[in-house]
Amino acid sequence: MANTNQYENLQLNTNLELLARQVVEGFITGLHKSPFHGFSVEFAEHRLYNTGDSVKNIDWKLFAKTDKLFSKRYEEETNLRCQFVIDSSSSMYFPDEKYNKLTFAVQSTACLMYLLKKQRDAFGLSLFSDQVNLNTHAKSTNTHQKYLFAALEQVLQSPKMNVQTNLALALHQIAELIHKRSLVIVFSDMLQTVHDETKITALFSSLQHLKFNKHEVVIFNVTDKSKEVDFNFANRPYEFIDMETGAVLKAHTSKVKDAYLEQMNAYRQNLTLKCAQYKIDMVDADINEGFDNVLQAYLIKRQKMG
């Protein structure tokens, strides 16, 4: 498993396109030693040959190596439309300015876009906080990729505090805006529904809206696992500040840790059960664990979709 430190200098000092290329190419190299070996060939420049396809596109050299029939892909072929939906509300700036949940979400999206571009698949981008702030159609051109990378870099350069989130509203809007039968990939910390059953109901109503419109959905639940899930803080008093509302809570960690862990674990179990019920893929994405888990989860989903 790759870790964040492996990419630390790259993350902080270079643009998204360079990061995405290096991460994805390293990931593809690793796939040759993994159970995804057969798939790694297909998603680079080929797809499995289907009965009825033109035989002139078969890669016979690859057939000699693998004993499988693959057709070469061409620029105009698009088998998948993918819409990336990124939560850019203030809570995504945790834990600090150097590297936070939003940076991880943006960089993960850039890596997936680079991978989709290699597959000749189309991708679009939606950014939201308490409303949808950007929504683009899915395309697979070089110009579109550069435009979206620029938009993602702009997000990282414009931090906004005390901006709340409304994932349910955003997903309802996006369900109507995007092409039918898309793969919708959501990056969010999912924290807006922790203490509010009404918001959980609203969230799954919006997810059901996506499913009704024939979209497949993957949610990457972005966390700083050590702090937000495991509550690994020093045994001393802290001043906790809600980044979306500015509310302040002073507490000693030893007095609140057990109750916090109980509520957080119950909430996460509830989310997991509801996602399973609605056939929504939810994947934990710890910002300290690098990008391999995100890329692998995407490949698994892509393989299931055919």
Side-chain angles (χ1 to χ4, degrees):
M1 175 67 71
N3 58 50
T4 304
N5 292 336
Q6 179 181 347
Y7 304 115
E8 184 171 2
N9 293 331
L10 194 61
Q11 289 169 334
L12 300 176
N13 298 318
T14 61
N15 65 29
L16 284 174
E17 189 167 2
L18 177 58
L19 170 75
R21 183 170 72 247
Q22 294 201 10
V23 170
V24 171
E25 288 177 356
F27 178 72
I28 290 173
T29 301
L31 283 180
H32 288 282
K33 303 171 186 176
S34 81
F36 287 97
H37 174 65
F39 192 68
S40 68
V41 176
E42 181 188 351
F43 75 66
E45 295 275 341
H46 299 78
R47 60 177 172 78
L48 283 168
Y49 174 79
N50 294 313
T51 304
D53 288 350
S54 173
V55 294
K56 71 178 182 179
N57 295 332
I58 292 175
D59 189 328
W60 294 108
K61 288 182 180 179
L62 195 56
F63 172 73
K65 291 179 183 178
T66 65
D67 202 30
K68 292 182 181 179
L69 290 175
F70 290 91
S71 294
K72 292 181 180 178
R73 289 188 158 184
Y74 293 92
E75 191 68 37
E76 65 272 11
E77 286 194 61
T78 296
N79 293 331
L80 177 73
R81 287 180 177 83
C82 181
Q83 192 74 16
F84 292 98
V85 180
I86 301 179
D87 181 351
S88 59
S89 61
S90 297
S91 67
M92 293 291 285
Y93 291 96
F94 184 84
D96 55 49
E97 292 181 5
K98 184 179 178 183
Y99 196 77
N100 52 46
K101 291 181 287 187
L102 184 59
T103 307
F104 176 84
V106 163
Q107 292 176 345
S108 296
T109 297
C111 292
L112 289 169
M113 285 180 175
Y114 187 88
L115 185 53
L116 281 153
K117 184 69 174 63
K118 288 180 73 69
Q119 294 177 280
R120 315 295 192 219
D121 289 328
F123 45 88
L125 176 65
S126 303
L127 301 172
F128 75 95
S129 50
D130 53 352
Q131 60 184 2
V132 176
N133 301 309
L134 172 72
N135 187 79
T136 77
H137 293 300
K139 300 178 184 177
S140 59
T141 64
N142 288 326
T143 303
H144 184 64
Q145 183 187 47
K146 290 183 183 298
Y147 168 71
L148 295 190
F149 277 15
L152 289 171
E153 288 182 334
Q154 183 63 38
V155 171
L156 297 181
Q157 295 165 9
S158 310
K160 295 181 175 63
M161 292 299 102
N162 298 327
V163 176
Q164 298 188 40
T165 186
N166 191 334
L167 178 55
L169 175 64
L171 292 181
H172 275 303
Q173 293 175 347
I174 290 163
E176 292 300 321
L177 289 170
I178 63 177
H179 192 282
K180 294 289 193 295
R181 297 184 186 277
S182 296
L183 171 61
V184 179
I185 296 180
V186 180
F187 285 92
S188 175
D189 55 16
M190 308 298 288
L191 292 178
Q192 70 277 6
T193 57
V194 172
H195 301 296
D196 195 328
E197 192 65 36
T198 302
K199 287 185 177 180
I200 291 179
T201 301
L203 169 63
F204 281 92
S205 172
S206 67
L207 290 168
Q208 197 170 21
H209 187 176
L210 285 167
K211 297 291 286 187
F212 180 79
N213 282 11
K214 309 300 183 185
H215 302 301
E216 290 291 326
V217 183
V218 177
I219 298 173
F220 285 105
N221 188 5
V222 184
T223 64
D224 180 342
K225 184 176 182 295
S226 175
K227 291 183 171 65
E228 294 181 307
V229 179
D230 301 332
F231 204 72
N232 286 332
F233 290 91
N235 188 22
R236 64 174 178 83
Y238 279 85
E239 184 176 87
F240 296 98
I241 302 172
D242 186 323
M243 299 175 77
E244 294 194 3
T245 66
V248 176
L249 174 67
K250 294 180 180 180
H252 195 292
T253 53
S254 65
K255 294 182 179 179
V256 299
K257 183 171 183 175
D258 288 346
Y260 177 91
L261 290 175
E262 184 180 347
Q263 286 196 35
M264 179 57 73
N265 290 335
Y267 167 69
R268 286 167 61 82
Q269 286 179 2
N270 188 22
L271 267 188
T272 301
L273 287 170
K274 284 186 178 293
C275 282
Q277 177 186 342
Y278 284 82
K279 294 183 170 56
I280 304 291
D281 293 4
M282 190 172 72
V283 180
D284 280 329
D286 180 2
I287 68 171
N288 299 302
E289 287 295 323
F291 307 106
D292 282 10
N293 183 45
V294 171
L295 292 168
Q296 186 165 304
Y298 160 75
L299 282 191
I300 292 170
K301 184 65 175 178
R302 182 73 175 90
Q303 209 168 20
K304 287 179 181 175
M305 292 174 67

